[in-house]
Amino acid sequence: MRINVLGVSFDNVTMAEATARGRELLGADGAHYVVTPNPEIVEACRADAEAMAAVNGASLVLPDGIGVIYGAKMLKTPLKERVPGIEFGTAMIEYCARTGKSVYLLGAKLGVAEQAAENLKQRFDGLTVAGTHDGYFADDAEAAAWIRDSGADMALICLGAPKQEKFMAKYGEATGAKLLLGLGGSLDVFAGVAQRAPAFYVNHNLEWFYRLMKNPSRIGRMMKLPLFLVHVAKEK
Ligand code: UDP
């Protein structure tokens, strides 16, 4: 069942249910993609019909960010739990390593995807990285061909929102991958270029605050959160 929060239809799943579904999709026919919207992305979708269609066209729409959980609760259609994209992605990479499926890493600044590949191969025994490329390319069709030529089963598309969602909606099939995951800044974290918040912040739903302290220039983007809650209150 999907739950509508300001036009974005979220899958009402736990992390365990999400990864079970991800494993199913990886073995299914055709190409499927997963998106992990936070309030900032929901707000971007409200202003961009193509982004909204790309997000809602995903096979799995996971609530990343406590703001979405609060929003759904305020609308009296609560979601089971927060499913952070990076944790979902990590679980899927671990599954690929275990089952001999290969992964392509697309996105982030020059050299980051390669470093992420090295770190992930160290962390997950037997992981095959079919290829990597930075996220600053001119031709989307060409990027899709890099993935197709690599023969990857799964692709991490980390270009920031809503660019990555639009890429997956338009070129998902052309990549030949069975499953594509739109994971924002995750390659920076896997590469060790950016750090995830310590457990205290994650457990107290304060990850957003940690990210703001680390990078105060995000304030403009973060102001989308109160705006999102105002829009939810109006919707109610
Ligand atoms: N990025 C990219 N190509 C672009 C724009 C951004 O590869 O044209 C990358 C950027 O380097 C970063 C990621 O996309 O690694 C977006 O990170 P951000 O922190 O904005 O993502 P979030 O996880 O907050 O959605």
Side-chain angles (χ1 to χ4, degrees):
M1 195 198 57
R2 280 191 165 178
I3 287 184
N4 184 320
V5 179
L6 301 181
V8 174
S9 297
F10 287 91
D11 282 285
N12 190 17
V13 288
T14 61
M15 175 63 83
E17 289 164 346
T19 50
R21 186 91 186 98
R23 291 194 294 267
E24 244 172 63
L25 293 171
L26 197 52
D29 285 338
H32 294 272
Y33 65 94
V34 182
V35 298
T36 65
N38 57 21
E40 188 190 348
I41 301 178
V42 174
E43 283 299 319
C45 287
R46 283 164 57 86
D48 178 344
E50 189 194 345
M52 185 67 97
V55 165
N56 284 331
S59 296
L60 254 182
V61 183
L62 303 175
D64 187 348
I66 193 64
V68 173
I69 301 298
Y70 282 145
K73 200 168 168 186
M74 280 167 72
L75 292 167
K76 305 241 181 314
T77 47
L79 284 156
K80 286 180 189 168
E81 69 184 18
R82 192 179 155 223
V83 184
I86 188 149
E87 289 174 25
F88 173 79
T90 304
M92 290 307 298
I93 292 167
E94 189 273 330
Y95 176 73
C96 285
R98 199 150 37 85
T99 56
K101 296 201 188 298
S102 60
V103 179
Y104 192 100
L105 309 179
L106 179 71
K109 298 209 171 103
L110 196 65
V112 173
E114 284 88 337
Q115 186 60 53
E118 283 314 310
N119 295 357
L120 288 169
K121 283 192 282 188
Q122 291 262 328
R123 185 165 163 197
F124 300 111
D125 239 10
L127 177 68
T128 304
V129 177
T132 61
H133 200 285
D134 68 79
Y136 297 85
F137 47 83
D139 185 344
D140 285 1
E142 200 185 341
W146 299 329
I147 301 174
R148 191 187 58 234
D149 294 346
S150 79
D153 298 297
M154 185 171 91
L156 269 58
I157 309 296
C158 302
L159 307 173
K163 195 171 175 181
Q164 63 203 10
E165 287 76 13
K166 290 180 183 176
F167 177 90
M168 294 189 294
K170 198 161 171 199
Y171 293 99
E173 295 275 353
T175 65
K178 310 295 280 177
L179 191 65
L180 299 99
L181 316 180
L183 292 181
S186 298
L187 290 181
D188 295 312
V189 176
F190 291 140
V193 171
Q195 273 76 40
R196 238 202 128 190
F200 171 85
Y201 293 90
V202 175
N203 295 341
H204 289 82
N205 294 324
L206 288 169
E207 194 165 0
W208 60 272
F209 179 65
Y210 178 84
R211 293 179 88 179
L212 184 60
M213 281 193 309
K214 281 272 165 192
N215 193 351
S217 66
R218 288 179 82 97
I219 187 71
R221 291 175 58 175
M222 293 255 167
M223 288 314 285
K224 293 280 188 243
L225 177 62
L227 190 66
F228 167 84
L229 293 173
V230 166
H231 288 150
V232 168
K234 271 194 190 153
E235 180 81 12
K236 200 174 145 194

